[in-house]
Amino acid sequence: MPAHTHDDIDWADRLAQLRMADALDAEALAPVARRLVAGVAERPTIVDVGCGAGGMSVLFARELARRGGGTVVLVDATPELLAEAERAVTEAAAGAVEVVGIAADLADPELARQVPGADLGWASGVVHHVGDQQAALRTLAGLLRPGGMLAIAEGGLEIRCLPWDLGVGRPGLEQRLLAARGEWFARMRARVAGSVAMPYGWPRALREAGLEDVESFGTLIDHPMPGSNLLREYVVHRVGWLADSAGEWLDADDRAVLASLTDPRSPDFLGRRDDLFLFGAKAFHCGRLR
């Protein structure tokens, strides 16, 4: 098994949160999957690097089944995530699409020797966990067959889910929590082995990786209040994860409020509120190998 490259993040521990995010994002991302699949050959091979729980590849598999078939190759370095992705995508494929799972890591420059050539390469929220992001994009571009497309999901607008005033603690907790997460992210990037600055945006980075016809687009993630039980459960997981990872950049009062908000025994427990929501945007960047 290759070494995991995602610093000190326990991705297996986040599996439940990833599953919930996949379910909540599916409606917004289905048109993205349709758009990307429409841009490649019939019966294509799609390679999802850092597939997580498999949410996007479930949508790819459904599109391929609708178009007459193809192959989805799932790549991840965390065994628990790879197994869940294989299960979910195989179920969605319903025998109409071939599903292949490969234990491998984007940080491995020899990744192209481990996976088949791709008509469409996909990587969502993965490149920024690799020390040399530009090298990682070159590795991803190296997976493509001539004429193939690489699409990445990076950036966008940070998800918001909490009212400004929660009735406990100082208003504006979510803004402070997201600012703390920004500090955590900067430290995470600095600590990744072989970290290299990339002081330009993703479209230029794709061109630097040798791709042409580069474009960017986005989609909204919008679940208005009061929201579903799934949304409330996800918000509890998300806020708890942000508090655990970035809490050291918050003051003691905010940390105490977060502990109360994520404790099912507390009168302030988020899971009992009817005013939670999800609103944000995902950004996608793609280019083609000519």
Side-chain angles (χ1 to χ4, degrees), residues 90-103:
T90 298
E91 180 179 305
V97 175
E98 182 182 5
V99 181
V100 178
I102 298 176

Side-chain angles (χ1 to χ4, degrees), residues 8-9 15 25 75 90 94 112 122-123 128-129 137 143 173 179 198 215 219 227 232 240 247 257:
D8 59 351
I9 302 172
L15 178 55
D25 291 350
V75 180
T90 298
W122 169 259
H128 67 252
H129 286 286
L137 289 173
L143 305 180
L173 175 63
M198 194 183 78
E215 63 174 337
T219 192
R232 284 189 288 274
V257 169

Side-chain angles (χ1 to χ4, degrees), residues 73-153:
V73 180
L74 302 163
V75 180
D76 207 284
T78 302
E80 295 87 346
L81 299 189
L82 185 59
E84 171 60 16
E86 287 188 79
R87 182 204 63 76
V89 178
T90 298
E91 180 179 305
V97 175
E98 182 182 5
V99 181
V100 178
I102 298 176
D105 198 302
L106 176 55
D108 184 353
E110 299 299 316
L111 181 64
R113 297 188 180 189
Q114 303 174 59
V115 302
D119 299 292
L120 172 61
W122 169 259
S124 176
V126 178
V127 177
H128 67 252
H129 286 286
V130 179
D132 190 336
Q133 298 169 102
Q134 186 64 73
L137 289 173
R138 293 191 185 99
T139 296
L140 288 168
L143 305 180
L144 299 177
R145 294 169 176 163
M149 179 190 299
L150 172 64
I152 63 172

Side-chain angles (χ1 to χ4, degrees), residues 19-56:
R19 284 193 190 115
M20 287 185 279
D22 285 346
L24 289 165
D25 291 350
E27 183 176 359
L29 295 185
V32 177
R34 189 171 305 121
R35 172 176 176 167
L36 294 174
V37 172
V40 296
E42 292 186 3
R43 300 188 64 82
T45 295
I46 299 176
V47 178
D48 183 351
V49 179
C51 60
M56 192 64 174

Side-chain angles (χ1 to χ4, degrees), residues 60 70 73 140 159-161 164 174 204 220:
F60 285 143
V73 180
L140 288 168
I159 289 287
R160 304 296 180 98
C161 56
W164 168 259
E174 185 169 38
R204 175 178 165 184
L220 286 177

